[in-house]
Amino acid sequence: MHHMEGFLKLNKKARAAVGTLAVVTGVGAAMVAGGATAANQGTTTTEPPTTTTTTTTTIPPLDEQTVYMRGTGKDLRFEFEGIGGSDVLVRGEPLNVVNETDPQGVGPHTFTLLSQPTIDKAPNGRKCFTPKEICRIIADWHEFVPPETVNKPVVRVGGPGWNQKGTKRKKGDSWFSGQQDEEFSQDLTSNQQRLRFFCAVHPNMRGSIEIEDAIPTK
């Protein structure tokens, strides 16, 4: 049974898919000019039709940086896939968060930015949801109303993008997901050297990724 059972579902957001884009250029109707009669020869000449050219260009999917919520039961975890296979985050680029888990089996999740001391002191298990503990505090940030209402699925603090880490005394950026295949994305704008994140529904789910200012080169 997952923790904070009432901290439940939102309406499902359609997952944005990056696919193949067909670009068609040079489209036009063939133009035929005819019926011109030579004044003195009494003959009719017809100009040859204009040919049309159609070009199809395939645009490959964009390379992205994404944190996935994955697993079942006690194996719930965050997994990261960076730009070009990198194991670091790139500042200024979008950071996507995708929930691939089944809420019927494991419940919802949050992706919450926290300070390292706050994560280190967060208790596992149900104790994290007791008053004055961080899981209960994050539920308040999301304006959770028992048994199943989350009034604020996205908590933005400070400037735009993923930038503000929270503590027990200060809100941090956070996203609540209650549906499988939900996705949320915004630019990574944090000025920190490492992004640390936490799930307030499953306090054993914790992650930390180094941040760089440019796309790494191999």
Side-chain angles (χ1 to χ4, degrees), residues 52 95 122 154:
T52 61
L95 171 58
V154 178

Side-chain angles (χ1 to χ4, degrees), residues 89-103:
L89 288 162
V90 179
R91 200 183 329 271
E93 295 290 329
L95 171 58
N96 313 310
V97 185
V98 179
N99 178 7
E100 292 189 343
T101 65
D102 180 3

Side-chain angles (χ1 to χ4, degrees), residues 72-144:
T72 58
K74 294 182 179 180
D75 188 37
L76 289 171
R77 63 196 182 277
F78 291 114
E79 291 185 355
F80 175 63
E81 294 181 8
I83 295 174
S86 170
D87 59 358
V88 302
L89 288 162
V90 179
R91 200 183 329 271
E93 295 290 329
L95 171 58
N96 313 310
V97 185
V98 179
N99 178 7
E100 292 189 343
T101 65
D102 180 3
Q104 298 301 318
V106 303
H109 294 281
T110 74
F111 179 85
T112 306
L113 303 191
L114 293 178
S115 70
Q116 186 65 57
T118 304
I119 292 177
D120 290 343
K121 293 176 182 178
N124 284 318
R126 293 187 177 277
K127 184 177 179 182
C128 193
F129 306 102
T130 56
K132 299 184 179 180
E133 292 293 353
I134 190 62
C135 295
R136 173 70 68 85
I137 291 169
I138 293 170
D140 291 341
W141 297 352
H142 285 281
E143 299 179 8
F144 167 63

Side-chain angles (χ1 to χ4, degrees), residues 18 35 48 132 143 167 172 179-180 199 204:
V18 179
K132 299 184 179 180
E143 299 179 8
T167 67
Q179 294 288 338
Q180 189 169 16
C199 176
N204 59 310

Side-chain angles (χ1 to χ4, degrees), residues 2-218:
H2 62 80
H3 300 300
M4 198 174 288
E5 296 172 60
F7 200 16
L8 287 175
K9 301 177 183 177
L10 288 178
N11 292 328
K12 184 175 182 180
K13 297 180 182 177
R15 184 176 179 180
V18 179
T20 301
L21 177 64
V23 181
V24 180
T25 60
V27 176
M31 298 175 63
V32 179
T37 303
N40 297 324
Q41 298 180 1
T43 60
T44 301
T45 60
T46 302
E47 296 181 7
T50 303
T51 59
T52 61
T53 302
T54 301
T55 304
T56 301
T57 303
T58 299
I59 301 177
L62 298 176
D63 210 350
E64 300 177 333
Q65 50 189 7
T66 304
V67 173
Y68 294 93
M69 300 162 172
R70 289 174 170 162
T72 58
K74 294 182 179 180
D75 188 37
L76 289 171
R77 63 196 182 277
F78 291 114
E79 291 185 355
F80 175 63
E81 294 181 8
I83 295 174
S86 170
D87 59 358
V88 302
L89 288 162
V90 179
R91 200 183 329 271
E93 295 290 329
L95 171 58
N96 313 310
V97 185
V98 179
N99 178 7
E100 292 189 343
T101 65
D102 180 3
Q104 298 301 318
V106 303
H109 294 281
T110 74
F111 179 85
T112 306
L113 303 191
L114 293 178
S115 70
Q116 186 65 57
T118 304
I119 292 177
D120 290 343
K121 293 176 182 178
N124 284 318
R126 293 187 177 277
K127 184 177 179 182
C128 193
F129 306 102
T130 56
K132 299 184 179 180
E133 292 293 353
I134 190 62
C135 295
R136 173 70 68 85
I137 291 169
I138 293 170
D140 291 341
W141 297 352
H142 285 281
E143 299 179 8
F144 167 63
V145 179
E148 298 183 0
T149 302
V150 176
N151 288 311
K152 194 171 186 178
V154 178
V155 178
R156 290 188 174 93
V157 184
W162 297 113
N163 72 97
Q164 184 63 58
K165 59 185 179 182
T167 67
K168 286 185 176 182
R169 297 177 177 272
K170 180 178 66 175
K171 288 183 181 180
D173 294 325
S174 187
W175 174 57
F176 172 91
S177 173
Q179 294 288 338
Q180 189 169 16
D181 294 331
E182 272 190 312
E183 178 176 343
F184 180 72
S185 180
Q186 58 183 355
D187 288 349
L188 176 61
T189 56
S190 171
N191 61 6
Q192 302 296 309
Q193 298 305 306
R194 182 168 287 273
L195 193 75
R196 296 176 172 89
F197 43 92
F198 178 84
C199 176
V201 185
H202 309 92
N204 59 310
M205 289 181 66
R206 310 171 185 211
S208 174
I209 308 171
E210 182 183 351
I211 303 174
E212 293 192 0
D213 291 320
I215 297 174
T217 57
K218 293 184 179 180

